[in-house]
Amino acid sequence: MIKYAVKYLKNTFVPLKGIKEENECNSDLDGKLVLVRTEKGEEVLKAFLVCPKVAERFEKSEKTPEAFEFIRVMTQEDMMIYEEIKKEEVTSYFKCKELVKKHNLNMNLVQCRLTFDKRKISFYYTAPERVDFRELLKDLTQVFKRVRIDLRHIGVRDESSIMDGTGICGKPFCCSSYLRKFESINVKLAKDQGMPIAPSKISGTCGRLLCCLTYEYENYIEAAKGMPPVGSTVMTPAGLGKVCFIQFLNNSVAVKFEDGKIKEFDKNEIEMVDANINVDIDDTRLNHYIADEKVDARQLRQLEDDRNSSTGNV
């Protein structure tokens, strides 16, 4: 049964294999940095003890990643080499950035990663369109000799997922903690949930719509059943009025009357009627959020743009 795993890209747990626990150093790997062999080469990752119940599900699941080969626990000498590699990654990042500028390429360099065995160096970048980096690659091979160079195009959502960070909710990014697949998201989801249509409030660090807009959407759709649509005329205990706003989660409806007053009622207290009354509900103040940003159609299209949003090429 799987006993240890490591956290890899986007906080994916990957099982470890090849651990011989008769060695005292390998008897307790929980929380230790270990050297493992991945598809990219030798990499340094943190090991975690896997709960037996989780291990059981790991064994049965068809989605469990292929196990990484355990090499050894990081020694003092390994840690010194690792620190030098981290410094080298920073230096390499800026060298590559200079070459990108030299060739005037429309690409944003995100990160540089060098394997522990220094056999492969990966440069991650975002770009709005396809980039011809053949000349850049020629220059890179002159700078980084005897190293395999990987120029990897990723999406803006992928960029946020590998850089980590904290969302407006105060918690770590979903994409860098547990979200494995990006869903297609549009502004309609925010409108249906009564959210303010302002870029700063419905978009994430990646500049795209918040992934969490999809989490509760089905609940809102379910709650909307039996609710009168905005603009419909209803009979309330206070008389005739028009629905101007709906509070889905507490089953209440805001109704505006001819005198301009707005009152909230439980959906069971009102009844739709076929009548026409002189009430104008086209007023931004009727929304519980006052828009503090000027939003145009181009901005909304950009928030919804899924092209190059995620490549899964991390």
Side-chain angles (χ1 to χ4, degrees):
M1 183 176 285
I2 298 168
K3 187 171 181 181
Y4 291 103
V6 290
K7 272 187 178 180
Y8 200 44
L9 296 172
K10 298 174 71 170
N11 274 340
T12 303
F13 276 95
V14 181
L16 283 179
K17 65 180 180 180
I19 302 173
K20 296 179 180 179
E21 294 194 18
E22 59 268 17
N23 185 325
E24 188 178 342
C25 294
N26 300 342
S27 58
D28 183 14
L29 300 181
D30 190 33
K32 293 181 179 177
L33 287 178
V34 296
L35 191 61
V36 301
R37 184 168 286 107
T38 72
E39 60 182 11
K40 297 178 182 178
E42 293 180 3
E43 296 190 69
V44 179
L45 300 169
K46 183 178 282 189
F48 294 90
L49 184 66
V50 180
C51 167
K53 289 186 177 180
V54 174
E56 189 177 340
R57 294 192 65 179
F58 256 24
E59 296 280 0
K60 294 178 180 178
S61 175
E62 295 179 356
K63 296 181 180 179
T64 302
E66 187 175 346
F68 288 157
E69 183 183 346
F70 170 79
I71 300 175
R72 63 177 178 271
V73 176
M74 292 286 284
T75 64
Q76 193 69 31
E77 186 180 348
D78 288 335
M79 290 303 298
M80 292 174 65
I81 296 172
Y82 184 53
E83 288 299 319
E84 289 301 316
I85 286 174
K86 301 311 288 182
K87 292 177 183 178
E88 199 170 330
E89 285 177 342
V90 175
T91 305
S92 301
Y93 170 86
F94 285 106
K95 283 181 180 178
C96 183
K97 199 160 189 175
E98 287 176 8
L99 291 173
V100 168
K101 187 176 180 180
K102 171 188 170 184
H103 292 286
N104 196 27
L105 296 174
N106 187 19
M107 57 190 284
N108 173 46
L109 196 62
V110 174
Q111 195 179 65
C112 168
R113 284 181 179 167
L114 181 63
T115 58
F116 188 81
D117 53 15
K118 294 188 179 183
R119 292 183 178 179
K120 184 176 182 179
I121 187 167
S122 300
F123 295 100
Y124 295 90
Y125 71 92
T126 61
E129 54 192 20
R130 187 179 179 85
V131 177
D132 183 358
F133 51 69
R134 286 175 294 184
E135 294 303 316
L136 170 64
L137 191 56
K138 288 179 183 178
D139 283 352
L140 288 173
T141 53
Q142 294 302 311
V143 176
F144 304 101
K145 297 178 180 178
R146 295 184 296 278
V147 180
R148 191 152 55 97
I149 299 169
D150 181 19
L151 281 166
R152 190 160 292 206
H153 177 219
I154 61 174
V156 289
R157 290 188 188 274
D158 297 319
E159 177 183 1
S160 295
S161 73
I162 66 173
M163 296 300 288
D164 287 340
T166 304
I168 57 175
C169 59
K171 294 184 177 181
F173 292 155
C174 298
C175 57
S176 61
S177 53
Y178 66 89
L179 199 63
R180 299 287 170 262
K181 183 181 178 183
F182 294 109
E183 301 290 341
S184 181
I185 307 171
N186 56 59
V187 174
K188 183 178 183 297
L189 272 67
K191 290 179 178 178
D192 289 348
Q193 294 175 69
M195 296 188 68
I197 308 305
S200 66
K201 294 179 175 65
I202 60 174
S203 63
T205 305
C206 59
R208 298 295 187 271
L209 292 169
L210 292 165
C211 292
C212 55
L213 288 175
T214 63
Y215 297 171
E216 298 179 351
Y217 185 65
E218 289 185 4
N219 294 338
Y220 278 88
I221 297 302
E222 187 64 30
K225 292 179 180 178
M227 288 285 201
V230 173
S232 61
T233 303
V234 293
M235 175 60 75
T236 74
L240 283 175
K242 277 190 177 180
V243 177
C244 61
F245 189 74
I246 299 174
Q247 294 276 29
F248 295 107
L249 299 186
N250 61 8
N251 288 323
S252 67
V253 178
V255 180
K256 185 177 182 182
F257 299 95
E258 288 184 300
D259 60 3
K261 292 182 179 178
I262 299 174
K263 294 182 180 179
E264 283 194 17
F265 301 91
D266 187 274
K267 73 173 184 178
N268 296 319
E269 295 181 297
I270 63 175
E271 182 182 351
M272 288 184 62
V273 295
D274 187 12
N276 188 23
I277 57 175
N278 186 27
V279 174
D280 181 16
I281 63 167
D282 186 19
D283 189 340
T284 56
R285 290 173 299 176
L286 299 177
N287 195 315
H288 285 201
Y289 303 95
I290 299 176
D292 57 358
E293 300 178 37
K294 291 182 179 179
V295 184
D296 57 32
R298 183 184 58 81
Q299 284 178 297
L300 296 182
R301 283 196 301 271
Q302 186 175 355
L303 292 178
E304 294 179 318
D305 189 4
D306 276 336
R307 296 173 303 166
N308 293 328
S309 178
S310 172
T311 62
N313 200 24
V314 180

